Amino acid sequence: MTMKRIIQNIATVLSIAVIASSLSSCRKDVISKVNQYPSLAPANLDLNADTWKPVLVADPTVFTVAAPDATTSPAYIADLNEIKGYQRSLTDDQRAVIKYWSAGAVLRWNEIMRELVAKHNVPPYQNPDGTYPAPSSTNPFNYPEFPFSNPPYAARAYAYLSAAEYDALIVAYHYKNQYNRPAPYKNDATIQALIPKSDLPSYPSEDAVVAGAAVQIMKMMFPTEIDYIEQKAEEEKQYRIMAGANTRGELNAGEALGIQVANVFTARARTDKAGTAGGNKTLWANLASQTTAKGETAWVSLETPKRPPMLPLFNKVSPFLFDTLTVVALRPGPPHSTGSAEFAADQKEVLYYSQHATRANEALVAFWADGVATYTPAGHWNAIAADEFVKQHYSEVRWARNFALLNMAEMDAAIVCWDTKYAYFNPRPSQVNNVVKTLTGVPNFPSYTSGHSNFSSAAATVLTYLLPDRGTKFTDLAQQASLSRLVGAIHTRQDIEVGQTTGKAVGQYAVQRGQSDGAGIGN
Amino acid sequence: MMKPLLKHFYKCIAIAACVCASAQHASAQMENDGIMIPKNYICAGPMFSTSSWTNYWEGTFKRNNGNIGKVTTNMYSFMATYGITNNLLVTAGVPYITSKASAGTLHEQSGIQDLSVNLKWRAYRLKTDKSILSLFASVTGSIPLTNYEADFLPLALGSHSKDFTARAVVDYSYGKAFVTGSGAYTTRSNITIDRSSYYTTELIYSNQVELPKMTDYNFRAGYRSKYLIVEGVADIMTSLGGFDIRKNDMPFPSNRMNMTSVGGNVRYRIKSFDGLEFEAGDNYVVKGRNVGQANMIHGGLTYIFGVAKKKKVQDKDSFKN
């Protein structure tokens, strides 16, 4: 072969390779669904939201919101000029920021929280001596970083975020109605509205109220992320200005109000007993011995080295929807005795699913696993809710109120579920029979009742109330979530069925609250 | 952890496994070596490999894990090579894989994995008195044959992607000594997982996962004669993207999986039963990132036979490298 021929041959093969590569690999950019949400254009402004029942705030007038500058004042004119300055030369990146945030403040901050939960939902690695270090809120950057955002921690974080935003918006609506200032694009015809126009008074800014409240809650819940959180808030405020939706003065007033209202919630959170929910060695040992004393098999960690049980005192955390006595009242009766025939029959069913794993069951289990490095079951229900809420074109305040109902139910479901888990300290199927292999990781806490079932039934109860036209959609999903734990060989049928009952009961408290908070179910 | 990389390994082995002898000359062939088989010959046979690891790397942090113990993956495959011309061959292989952990509760996995097809072309051959220099170009495509769960690391059977690999090989022999070097580039299709969101370095709301492209450099050298090949092999596989497993986090299909391995192979053609050849080898990961430190032992048996009617191959040397 001549050298020319060789080069031709090699060139031919290379071009075939390139063509085949482009045909065969069909790589597409992965599009995150949340980036495709449309701009928020509320169907109803909910101007009467200042009459809705808040969660913690008793009186909106205790919060200071200074009267806005007159629209003829130099300060206001300067603020308008700032908007015009941005709008003269918006970059593609800035337009992308507008598009992102225009989907809604409550929605986006909920997503940011979900992302932080997923990021920090990694259990600590053991010490050389086989013990486990605990994250410390006073030293959050030390390994393991604070927090380990496990399911109860996450449910509580979502609840505080949503409830604080909701109360902050109710107060904001009080002042919006009081000051009744129109949006910048209504005061100055040369300012464009780069998002759907709204008749909602723009002082104080609802976006900044939400950002101020969200930042305060998140700083407490995720102290290693303060830089990221503040960057997001800055971006959001800039978005409002670039979009012509708010002046800087409206944003400053909103942010200050959001912070004030959130401080009521962070004060509650600091004393809600979540900080001591991890318990101690003596408590962990007592949980086992008191179960054994009853003649029952006590839960044992299935991890190596054995990890202390997750948040055994989470039952002491102050719920939002009812008092601590109700937590005990909602506790279901004991599970089948570990020595009983009923217990054996339940275990046999789990073994069957373990030994007959189908691809469909694997998919079901993976879809609902919501384990390590995910936003947890409560986050999954927030994602499900957000997809539906987007279609409803809610106002910001209704978004906040509906997330508050959902997430207070999720947090309280976690409290009630954890109360049950540690009251009975019931073993996992894989502990009872080590032949039981699971289709996802086994969580490090007792079996009875199923956390997924509590979270899912509580969420489905709230969402079915909020969106009755969806029929059985949410209860069907909740049923799937529960079932995934049985066919995944994580839980017995009793674990999931009783968990569903408790979850529904907790959800019902949120429904009752929703029925009496003055908001109704909206559009 | 990190089955996708091991899967890639298996594919190399699957194609490597065609250890084929002709009537005239023993000639093993694989994607990354310098050997062909003659026109109108088929070589086919079973292959087995077992791979296990206890230590693995989370990013660059090396550890073991009492919750999985030792992960063992067995592969049973069948493959066949056909000589289209003396300078062009096609190889196809299908593995059945089982994968289990010795500790913890995770459910073992098993099933047929991916079909891979390789086309290898000898583009150039220069023979002098004692030495031969050959250049090869090869392309490999693979597609999953079953709906196995890719998002079940470390026990997943594979990454469940459609892969395409282009490789260039240079082979030089002097007498019975040889050296071979090759470089490859692999693109992988997005995969669909069973979840609606996943965290990498950000939370992505999709069931689609983009897998990093990969490069592979393979070097082998040793002794190659009519009846026996003994060779040492070094392999460097690198992900061009992906993210690290954080401390005590779960592995994910789009992790940045790198590994450097060394090993050796022996291939032996039986003189008394023409066309039958055995092959065995061992391969050990010496350095890695987001992969298990696997040791893999493999063995295979192949038989070669002509399919052209009475058409004698004319150039004995064409079976050589």
Side-chain angles (χ1 to χ4, degrees), chain A residues 63-89:
Chain A
F63 301 101
T64 331
V65 178
D69 300 312
T71 51
T72 52
S73 70
Y76 188 74
I77 304 293
D79 277 357
L80 294 183
N81 284 336
E82 184 183 11
I83 296 172
K84 292 173 191 172
Y86 275 113
Q87 291 195 338
R88 278 163 71 99
S89 56

PDB file of all heavy atoms in Angstrom, chain A residues 63-89:
ATOM      1  N   PHE A  63     -45.157  44.395  63.310  1.00  0.00           N
ATOM      2  CA  PHE A  63     -43.979  44.456  62.442  1.00  0.00           C
ATOM      3  C   PHE A  63     -43.905  45.822  61.778  1.00  0.00           C
ATOM      4  O   PHE A  63     -44.927  46.381  61.370  1.00  0.00           O
ATOM      5  CB  PHE A  63     -44.036  43.359  61.373  1.00  0.00           C
ATOM      6  CG  PHE A  63     -44.102  41.999  61.983  1.00  0.00           C
ATOM      7  CD1 PHE A  63     -45.303  41.326  62.072  1.00  0.00           C
ATOM      8  CD2 PHE A  63     -42.963  41.390  62.487  1.00  0.00           C
ATOM      9  CE1 PHE A  63     -45.374  40.084  62.651  1.00  0.00           C
ATOM     10  CE2 PHE A  63     -43.021  40.146  63.078  1.00  0.00           C
ATOM     11  CZ  PHE A  63     -44.229  39.481  63.161  1.00  0.00           C
ATOM     12  N   THR A  64     -42.699  46.322  61.685  1.00  0.00           N
ATOM     13  CA  THR A  64     -42.516  47.665  61.148  1.00  0.00           C
ATOM     14  C   THR A  64     -42.350  47.610  59.641  1.00  0.00           C
ATOM     15  O   THR A  64     -41.457  46.918  59.135  1.00  0.00           O
ATOM     16  CB  THR A  64     -41.224  48.297  61.724  1.00  0.00           C
ATOM     17  OG1 THR A  64     -41.010  47.735  63.000  1.00  0.00           O
ATOM     18  CG2 THR A  64     -41.321  49.790  61.763  1.00  0.00           C
ATOM     19  N   VAL A  65     -43.215  48.317  58.953  1.00  0.00           N
ATOM     20  CA  VAL A  65     -43.007  48.534  57.523  1.00  0.00           C
ATOM     21  C   VAL A  65     -43.236  50.022  57.287  1.00  0.00           C
ATOM     22  O   VAL A  65     -44.378  50.496  57.312  1.00  0.00           O
ATOM     23  CB  VAL A  65     -43.968  47.703  56.654  1.00  0.00           C
ATOM     24  CG1 VAL A  65     -43.740  48.001  55.180  1.00  0.00           C
ATOM     25  CG2 VAL A  65     -43.793  46.215  56.920  1.00  0.00           C
ATOM     26  N   ALA A  66     -42.158  50.737  57.135  1.00  0.00           N
ATOM     27  CA  ALA A  66     -42.262  52.191  56.969  1.00  0.00           C
ATOM     28  C   ALA A  66     -43.090  52.529  55.735  1.00  0.00           C
ATOM     29  O   ALA A  66     -43.097  51.766  54.763  1.00  0.00           O
ATOM     30  CB  ALA A  66     -40.864  52.791  56.845  1.00  0.00           C
ATOM     31  N   ALA A  67     -43.757  53.655  55.791  1.00  0.00           N
ATOM     32  CA  ALA A  67     -44.528  54.108  54.633  1.00  0.00           C
ATOM     33  C   ALA A  67     -43.580  54.319  53.448  1.00  0.00           C
ATOM     34  O   ALA A  67     -42.443  54.761  53.635  1.00  0.00           O
ATOM     35  CB  ALA A  67     -45.246  55.401  54.972  1.00  0.00           C
ATOM     36  N   PRO A  68     -44.013  53.943  52.259  1.00  0.00           N
ATOM     37  CA  PRO A  68     -43.139  54.105  51.090  1.00  0.00           C
ATOM     38  C   PRO A  68     -42.945  55.582  50.733  1.00  0.00           C
ATOM     39  O   PRO A  68     -43.758  56.438  51.102  1.00  0.00           O
ATOM     40  CB  PRO A  68     -43.906  53.382  49.990  1.00  0.00           C
ATOM     41  CG  PRO A  68     -45.332  53.420  50.411  1.00  0.00           C
ATOM     42  CD  PRO A  68     -45.346  53.404  51.914  1.00  0.00           C
ATOM     43  N   ASP A  69     -41.843  55.836  50.032  1.00  0.00           N
ATOM     44  CA  ASP A  69     -41.628  57.185  49.510  1.00  0.00           C
ATOM     45  C   ASP A  69     -42.752  57.525  48.523  1.00  0.00           C
ATOM     46  O   ASP A  69     -43.266  56.645  47.848  1.00  0.00           O
ATOM     47  CB  ASP A  69     -40.298  57.251  48.742  1.00  0.00           C
ATOM     48  CG  ASP A  69     -39.120  56.891  49.627  1.00  0.00           C
ATOM     49  OD1 ASP A  69     -39.030  57.434  50.741  1.00  0.00           O
ATOM     50  OD2 ASP A  69     -38.297  56.035  49.197  1.00  0.00           O
ATOM     51  N   ALA A  70     -43.069  58.784  48.451  1.00  0.00           N
ATOM     52  CA  ALA A  70     -44.061  59.208  47.451  1.00  0.00           C
ATOM     53  C   ALA A  70     -43.514  58.913  46.057  1.00  0.00           C
ATOM     54  O   ALA A  70     -42.298  58.933  45.834  1.00  0.00           O
ATOM     55  CB  ALA A  70     -44.325  60.700  47.597  1.00  0.00           C
ATOM     56  N   THR A  71     -44.413  58.610  45.123  1.00  0.00           N
ATOM     57  CA  THR A  71     -43.958  58.260  43.781  1.00  0.00           C
ATOM     58  C   THR A  71     -43.368  59.462  43.042  1.00  0.00           C
ATOM     59  O   THR A  71     -42.824  59.328  41.963  1.00  0.00           O
ATOM     60  CB  THR A  71     -45.123  57.681  42.945  1.00  0.00           C
ATOM     61  OG1 THR A  71     -46.229  58.568  43.036  1.00  0.00           O
ATOM     62  CG2 THR A  71     -45.531  56.320  43.461  1.00  0.00           C
ATOM     63  N   THR A  72     -43.507  60.620  43.660  1.00  0.00           N
ATOM     64  CA  THR A  72     -42.880  61.810  43.074  1.00  0.00           C
ATOM     65  C   THR A  72     -41.541  62.126  43.725  1.00  0.00           C
ATOM     66  O   THR A  72     -40.841  63.043  43.300  1.00  0.00           O
ATOM     67  CB  THR A  72     -43.810  63.029  43.262  1.00  0.00           C
ATOM     68  OG1 THR A  72     -44.151  63.095  44.655  1.00  0.00           O
ATOM     69  CG2 THR A  72     -45.059  62.905  42.423  1.00  0.00           C
ATOM     70  N   SER A  73     -41.177  61.375  44.756  1.00  0.00           N
ATOM     71  CA  SER A  73     -39.953  61.689  45.506  1.00  0.00           C
ATOM     72  C   SER A  73     -38.711  61.355  44.694  1.00  0.00           C
ATOM     73  O   SER A  73     -38.734  60.468  43.840  1.00  0.00           O
ATOM     74  CB  SER A  73     -39.929  60.906  46.822  1.00  0.00           C
ATOM     75  OG  SER A  73     -39.718  59.530  46.536  1.00  0.00           O
ATOM     76  N   PRO A  74     -37.606  62.064  44.982  1.00  0.00           N
ATOM     77  CA  PRO A  74     -36.346  61.768  44.283  1.00  0.00           C
ATOM     78  C   PRO A  74     -35.912  60.320  44.495  1.00  0.00           C
ATOM     79  O   PRO A  74     -35.367  59.693  43.589  1.00  0.00           O
ATOM     80  CB  PRO A  74     -35.349  62.733  44.930  1.00  0.00           C
ATOM     81  CG  PRO A  74     -36.176  63.813  45.517  1.00  0.00           C
ATOM     82  CD  PRO A  74     -37.481  63.207  45.902  1.00  0.00           C
ATOM     83  N   ALA A  75     -36.159  59.779  45.696  1.00  0.00           N
ATOM     84  CA  ALA A  75     -35.741  58.399  45.974  1.00  0.00           C
ATOM     85  C   ALA A  75     -36.453  57.425  45.021  1.00  0.00           C
ATOM     86  O   ALA A  75     -35.832  56.503  44.467  1.00  0.00           O
ATOM     87  CB  ALA A  75     -36.047  58.033  47.415  1.00  0.00           C
ATOM     88  N   TYR A  76     -37.755  57.644  44.842  1.00  0.00           N
ATOM     89  CA  TYR A  76     -38.516  56.749  43.975  1.00  0.00           C
ATOM     90  C   TYR A  76     -38.079  56.906  42.516  1.00  0.00           C
ATOM     91  O   TYR A  76     -37.923  55.920  41.791  1.00  0.00           O
ATOM     92  CB  TYR A  76     -40.020  57.027  44.121  1.00  0.00           C
ATOM     93  CG  TYR A  76     -40.874  55.997  43.390  1.00  0.00           C
ATOM     94  CD1 TYR A  76     -41.030  54.713  43.897  1.00  0.00           C
ATOM     95  CD2 TYR A  76     -41.525  56.319  42.186  1.00  0.00           C
ATOM     96  CE1 TYR A  76     -41.804  53.765  43.233  1.00  0.00           C
ATOM     97  CE2 TYR A  76     -42.296  55.374  41.519  1.00  0.00           C
ATOM     98  CZ  TYR A  76     -42.437  54.098  42.044  1.00  0.00           C
ATOM     99  OH  TYR A  76     -43.194  53.173  41.385  1.00  0.00           O
ATOM    100  N   ILE A  77     -37.874  58.156  42.108  1.00  0.00           N
ATOM    101  CA  ILE A  77     -37.422  58.408  40.729  1.00  0.00           C
ATOM    102  C   ILE A  77     -36.084  57.715  40.476  1.00  0.00           C
ATOM    103  O   ILE A  77     -35.858  57.094  39.436  1.00  0.00           O
ATOM    104  CB  ILE A  77     -37.261  59.937  40.475  1.00  0.00           C
ATOM    105  CG1 ILE A  77     -38.556  60.682  40.782  1.00  0.00           C
ATOM    106  CG2 ILE A  77     -36.785  60.199  39.037  1.00  0.00           C
ATOM    107  CD1 ILE A  77     -39.726  60.408  39.887  1.00  0.00           C
ATOM    108  N   ALA A  78     -35.213  57.785  41.495  1.00  0.00           N
ATOM    109  CA  ALA A  78     -33.905  57.129  41.355  1.00  0.00           C
ATOM    110  C   ALA A  78     -34.089  55.626  41.215  1.00  0.00           C
ATOM    111  O   ALA A  78     -33.403  54.964  40.423  1.00  0.00           O
ATOM    112  CB  ALA A  78     -33.027  57.453  42.562  1.00  0.00           C
ATOM    113  N   ASP A  79     -35.013  55.082  42.006  1.00  0.00           N
ATOM    114  CA  ASP A  79     -35.293  53.640  41.912  1.00  0.00           C
ATOM    115  C   ASP A  79     -35.779  53.265  40.510  1.00  0.00           C
ATOM    116  O   ASP A  79     -35.394  52.219  39.961  1.00  0.00           O
ATOM    117  CB  ASP A  79     -36.360  53.238  42.943  1.00  0.00           C
ATOM    118  CG  ASP A  79     -35.747  52.987  44.331  1.00  0.00           C
ATOM    119  OD1 ASP A  79     -34.504  53.065  44.454  1.00  0.00           O
ATOM    120  OD2 ASP A  79     -36.523  52.715  45.270  1.00  0.00           O
ATOM    121  N   LEU A  80     -36.649  54.123  39.937  1.00  0.00           N
ATOM    122  CA  LEU A  80     -37.134  53.845  38.582  1.00  0.00           C
ATOM    123  C   LEU A  80     -35.989  53.904  37.577  1.00  0.00           C
ATOM    124  O   LEU A  80     -35.915  53.089  36.647  1.00  0.00           O
ATOM    125  CB  LEU A  80     -38.229  54.843  38.180  1.00  0.00           C
ATOM    126  CG  LEU A  80     -39.546  54.776  38.964  1.00  0.00           C
ATOM    127  CD1 LEU A  80     -40.539  55.785  38.381  1.00  0.00           C
ATOM    128  CD2 LEU A  80     -40.161  53.376  38.944  1.00  0.00           C
ATOM    129  N   ASN A  81     -35.082  54.842  37.807  1.00  0.00           N
ATOM    130  CA  ASN A  81     -33.940  54.951  36.893  1.00  0.00           C
ATOM    131  C   ASN A  81     -33.049  53.714  36.954  1.00  0.00           C
ATOM    132  O   ASN A  81     -32.456  53.316  35.955  1.00  0.00           O
ATOM    133  CB  ASN A  81     -33.126  56.211  37.208  1.00  0.00           C
ATOM    134  CG  ASN A  81     -33.842  57.460  36.697  1.00  0.00           C
ATOM    135  OD1 ASN A  81     -34.651  57.378  35.766  1.00  0.00           O
ATOM    136  ND2 ASN A  81     -33.570  58.601  37.312  1.00  0.00           N
ATOM    137  N   GLU A  82     -32.972  53.136  38.144  1.00  0.00           N
ATOM    138  CA  GLU A  82     -32.183  51.904  38.263  1.00  0.00           C
ATOM    139  C   GLU A  82     -32.788  50.806  37.370  1.00  0.00           C
ATOM    140  O   GLU A  82     -32.075  50.090  36.660  1.00  0.00           O
ATOM    141  CB  GLU A  82     -32.147  51.437  39.724  1.00  0.00           C
ATOM    142  CG  GLU A  82     -31.250  50.215  39.904  1.00  0.00           C
ATOM    143  CD  GLU A  82     -31.239  49.674  41.325  1.00  0.00           C
ATOM    144  OE1 GLU A  82     -32.081  50.094  42.141  1.00  0.00           O
ATOM    145  OE2 GLU A  82     -30.382  48.807  41.605  1.00  0.00           O
ATOM    146  N   ILE A  83     -34.120  50.712  37.392  1.00  0.00           N
ATOM    147  CA  ILE A  83     -34.801  49.715  36.537  1.00  0.00           C
ATOM    148  C   ILE A  83     -34.490  49.994  35.070  1.00  0.00           C
ATOM    149  O   ILE A  83     -34.114  49.095  34.307  1.00  0.00           O
ATOM    150  CB  ILE A  83     -36.333  49.752  36.767  1.00  0.00           C
ATOM    151  CG1 ILE A  83     -36.663  49.350  38.204  1.00  0.00           C
ATOM    152  CG2 ILE A  83     -37.049  48.857  35.757  1.00  0.00           C
ATOM    153  CD1 ILE A  83     -38.127  49.536  38.594  1.00  0.00           C
ATOM    154  N   LYS A  84     -34.641  51.277  34.706  1.00  0.00           N
ATOM    155  CA  LYS A  84     -34.416  51.642  33.294  1.00  0.00           C
ATOM    156  C   LYS A  84     -32.991  51.324  32.869  1.00  0.00           C
ATOM    157  O   LYS A  84     -32.747  50.890  31.747  1.00  0.00           O
ATOM    158  CB  LYS A  84     -34.712  53.130  33.083  1.00  0.00           C
ATOM    159  CG  LYS A  84     -36.192  53.477  33.226  1.00  0.00           C
ATOM    160  CD  LYS A  84     -36.392  54.989  33.182  1.00  0.00           C
ATOM    161  CE  LYS A  84     -37.822  55.344  33.596  1.00  0.00           C
ATOM    162  NZ  LYS A  84     -37.980  56.803  33.754  1.00  0.00           N
ATOM    163  N   GLY A  85     -32.063  51.559  33.790  1.00  0.00           N
ATOM    164  CA  GLY A  85     -30.654  51.266  33.496  1.00  0.00           C
ATOM    165  C   GLY A  85     -30.455  49.804  33.145  1.00  0.00           C
ATOM    166  O   GLY A  85     -29.798  49.470  32.155  1.00  0.00           O
ATOM    167  N   TYR A  86     -31.051  48.928  33.957  1.00  0.00           N
ATOM    168  CA  TYR A  86     -30.949  47.490  33.655  1.00  0.00           C
ATOM    169  C   TYR A  86     -31.609  47.163  32.321  1.00  0.00           C
ATOM    170  O   TYR A  86     -31.090  46.402  31.509  1.00  0.00           O
ATOM    171  CB  TYR A  86     -31.621  46.665  34.753  1.00  0.00           C
ATOM    172  CG  TYR A  86     -30.740  46.361  35.941  1.00  0.00           C
ATOM    173  CD1 TYR A  86     -31.007  46.912  37.188  1.00  0.00           C
ATOM    174  CD2 TYR A  86     -29.656  45.492  35.815  1.00  0.00           C
ATOM    175  CE1 TYR A  86     -30.212  46.621  38.285  1.00  0.00           C
ATOM    176  CE2 TYR A  86     -28.856  45.194  36.907  1.00  0.00           C
ATOM    177  CZ  TYR A  86     -29.138  45.760  38.139  1.00  0.00           C
ATOM    178  OH  TYR A  86     -28.349  45.456  39.218  1.00  0.00           O
ATOM    179  N   GLN A  87     -32.791  47.732  32.124  1.00  0.00           N
ATOM    180  CA  GLN A  87     -33.587  47.322  30.961  1.00  0.00           C
ATOM    181  C   GLN A  87     -32.996  47.799  29.632  1.00  0.00           C
ATOM    182  O   GLN A  87     -33.349  47.274  28.580  1.00  0.00           O
ATOM    183  CB  GLN A  87     -35.041  47.809  31.120  1.00  0.00           C
ATOM    184  CG  GLN A  87     -35.758  47.069  32.248  1.00  0.00           C
ATOM    185  CD  GLN A  87     -37.265  47.238  32.226  1.00  0.00           C
ATOM    186  OE1 GLN A  87     -37.779  48.200  31.646  1.00  0.00           O
ATOM    187  NE2 GLN A  87     -37.976  46.312  32.853  1.00  0.00           N
ATOM    188  N   ARG A  88     -32.099  48.806  29.698  1.00  0.00           N
ATOM    189  CA  ARG A  88     -31.452  49.263  28.457  1.00  0.00           C
ATOM    190  C   ARG A  88     -30.583  48.185  27.835  1.00  0.00           C
ATOM    191  O   ARG A  88     -30.415  48.137  26.627  1.00  0.00           O
ATOM    192  CB  ARG A  88     -30.552  50.484  28.758  1.00  0.00           C
ATOM    193  CG  ARG A  88     -31.307  51.773  28.818  1.00  0.00           C
ATOM    194  CD  ARG A  88     -30.441  52.806  29.518  1.00  0.00           C
ATOM    195  NE  ARG A  88     -29.306  53.198  28.659  1.00  0.00           N
ATOM    196  CZ  ARG A  88     -29.297  54.306  27.933  1.00  0.00           C
ATOM    197  NH1 ARG A  88     -30.341  55.100  27.939  1.00  0.00           N
ATOM    198  NH2 ARG A  88     -28.246  54.606  27.212  1.00  0.00           N
ATOM    199  N   SER A  89     -29.982  47.337  28.650  1.00  0.00           N
ATOM    200  CA  SER A  89     -29.013  46.392  28.094  1.00  0.00           C
ATOM    201  C   SER A  89     -29.004  45.080  28.874  1.00  0.00           C
ATOM    202  O   SER A  89     -28.065  44.770  29.579  1.00  0.00           O
ATOM    203  CB  SER A  89     -27.611  47.013  28.140  1.00  0.00           C
ATOM    204  OG  SER A  89     -27.321  47.386  29.478  1.00  0.00           O
TER     205      SER A  89
END
